[in-house]
Amino acid sequence: MIGFLDEGVERVDGWLGDDELLEDAGEMLGDVVEETVELVGDSLGWHRRVWEDEEHEHAQIEVEGLRDPEAVELRRGLHRRLTRLDQVRWAEVNALTGRVAVAFDGGAPTLASLLDLVEGLEELHWRQRTPRRPGWDTEERAEHPADDEPVHRVMALMAGDVLSLGWTIAGRTARLARVPVEYAGLVGVLDSHPWSRRQVERVLGRRATALVLPLAGSMAAGIAQGPMGVLVDLAHQATVLGELRARRHVWAQREPELYAVHADAPIEPPELVPRPVALDDGPV
């Protein structure tokens, strides 16, 4: 027995002394952490959305401030700078989608250089406008069929439902004490009441609230050991995920056709007349 333990200690010492193994493990852990942070940030809407069709060498790049009616110079500057690049076949700056569509040659390095160009023009635009940029979590941020964010958000909600369901089964099997269902329902009240939801959004942000409150509701249902609501939400999220994937699939098929004819000048936002009376809170 003592010899077996000594052999085990020697093997552990050998592993710890293997610099290459430690380096590989560190790189793997770093990749996992980076990917997790990327997914969380994407689910919460912290990042620029970029879509690339490697087959046709097309890309859709989200541009901060592009939808602003007063950002005329930003739109013109983007179109002018992009179309002058040798590797760019055409570029369409669209204020309606908040994105610039680009057809280019050269693969990933070219896309990286395009992102650098966009970021530089954004910095110049916001430095001239205001010292404080609003960030990506804004009411005006446009949704796009190429976005990964809605898919990641739904997958996160489904993961929360699965964990909650597992806790419910474990709690009932072990006969653990459970929170009354009425207390768990308070999260739903917080989510559905316009005033209370606005207060949460003021602290967390709009997109973080859209993720955190449903997850909190799922966790509360798990603590209350009420599986029916979790199962219903899981089925609902699975349906939404199917819709999002179908939407992305159709987009990938139709994108070359949609941009077979592209605009030669920036597409400006429409001139909308202000409403005479502000909309009331809640559903119209």
Side-chain angles (χ1 to χ4, degrees), residues 173-209:
T173 302
R175 299 182 180 276
L176 299 176
R178 56 183 178 180
V179 174
V181 178
E182 292 79 8
Y183 291 164
L186 292 177
V187 180
V189 174
L190 187 68
D191 188 13
S192 59
H193 191 273
W195 181 87
S196 60
R197 185 180 177 89
R198 279 200 309 272
Q199 305 313 309
V200 178
E201 289 179 349
R202 187 173 300 173
V203 176
L204 300 180
R206 190 165 59 95
R207 281 176 169 76
T209 301

Side-chain angles (χ1 to χ4, degrees), residues 221-233:
I223 296 174
Q225 300 179 22
M228 187 56 63
V230 177
L231 287 172
V232 171
D233 187 68

Side-chain angles (χ1 to χ4, degrees), residues 23 36 77 82 108 143 149 153 171 180-181 187 225 246 253 255 263 273:
E23 184 178 349
T36 302
L82 288 171
E143 296 290 345
E149 177 190 316
R153 185 165 56 243
V181 178
V187 180
Q225 300 179 22
Q253 289 182 320
E255 192 270 347
V273 179

